Amino acid sequence: MPQNATTDDPRRLAEFEARIARCKTIEPKDWMPERYRKQLIRMMSQHAHSEVVGMLPEGNWITRAPSLRRKMGLLAKVQDEAGHGLYIYCSTETLGVDRNDLIQQLLAGTAKYSSIFNYPTLTWADIGAIGWLVDGAAIVNQTMLAKASYGPYARAMVRICKEENFHKRQGFEIMTTLAGGTREQHAMAQDALDRWWWPSLMMFGPRDKDSPNSDDLLRWKVKQKTNDELRQRFVNITVAQAMAIDLTIPDPALKYNERTKDWEYGEIDWEEFWRVVRGNGPCNRERLAARRRAHDDGAWVRAAAEAYAAKHEPAASVA
Ligand code: FAQ
């Protein structure tokens, strides 16, 4: 535990909040309220786990990509997601936690990761839909987090967003190609949109009134916008893109509001959301089993890295 994480002294708390109000970042050695540190560890570790588990639905398709070009693009994307997990685990460690403990929580099934990665990838069009919608949603969320008050997290987000932009483009290009192809290919693209649309909206979290963590996070400028505000922004951007490639958003209630300039959308199935978050989605068990297998299979790599570090860098320890 960092030395500064003792009970909150009101004078220090006021200085901390004044610093945030001046839009100055908080750095690892700065004093911070214990609640701020805990909220960051919670949110950042869930984010890191999401990047790592998020490799699984797409990783499934690397051997089945329809061309060498598509295979190279997908391979690079999945590798990027592993890198994102590593940047975020590193930045979480600056808060005084050990990534091995965080990983153990994921493997034990006690840590959360994004609900979206508990849905199956049934066809190649799903890879297009994930890049377009899932990375698209991640960009909307993470562009805001790139301005978060905690410096190491914000800086990780800047780089991650650049890579997510490439991911979104490759996904949208796959969807554009399929939607503009044969009747069967168009149907595949529409089917993928139908299945991924609502889970993508759920990525932004519960409605603001049901979001217990938002007050802390908004107050301390970790979040700059609420869950509902970001969800709306995503809908507004994505509806126009679907229209451009002749796909239909699967929401009969969708309508444009001339006054607010927003696309109003229908009711999200919050029961489904909580079912998936609590571990009972279509692929929760499969994803954790695959993650545990990958962790066990990688034991020799960790052992080799530890042995190398002990021999060549005696002071260093490998996580
Ligand atoms: N899934 O009080 P709030 C990606 C939980 S990365 C599961 O509103 P908060 C890149 C929440 O943790 C995707 N759980 O929470 C990629 C909390 O539980 P707790 C991940 C969810 O933190 C693309 C409880 O519900 N992105 O896609 C979800 O204020 C393609 C109450 O919720 C991030 O993690 C959910 N969807 O707001 C990779 C971004 N939503 O901890 C591979 C950073 C909520 O109290 C392939 N995180 N919960 O037990 C955030 O922006 C926020 O944490 C939110 C949730 C917006 C996700």
Side-chain angles (χ1 to χ4, degrees), residues 39 42-44 46-48 50-55 58 77 81 84 112-117 130-131 134-135 137-138 141-142 145 153 157 160 164 167 199 202-207 210-215 217 223 227 230 273-274 276-277:
Q39 277 287 16
R42 179 193 67 79
M43 177 170 155
M44 290 165 67
Q46 288 176 7
H47 191 169
S50 304
E51 300 283 354
V52 171
V53 177
M55 289 192 283
E58 290 173 286
K77 178 187 190 301
E81 308 299 0
H84 298 175
K112 289 196 172 72
Y113 60 86
S114 184
S115 50
I116 191 75
F117 302 118
I130 291 180
V134 177
D135 286 273
N141 175 268
Q142 291 169 185
L145 292 175
Y153 193 31
M157 286 302 116
I160 289 177
E164 302 288 29
H167 300 166
M202 294 174 195
M203 283 177 72
F204 293 91
R207 280 169 295 203
D210 301 321
S211 164
N213 299 297
S214 281
D215 285 351
L217 296 173
K223 281 183 177 177
N227 297 359
L230 292 179
F273 171 75
W274 289 115
V276 178
V277 170

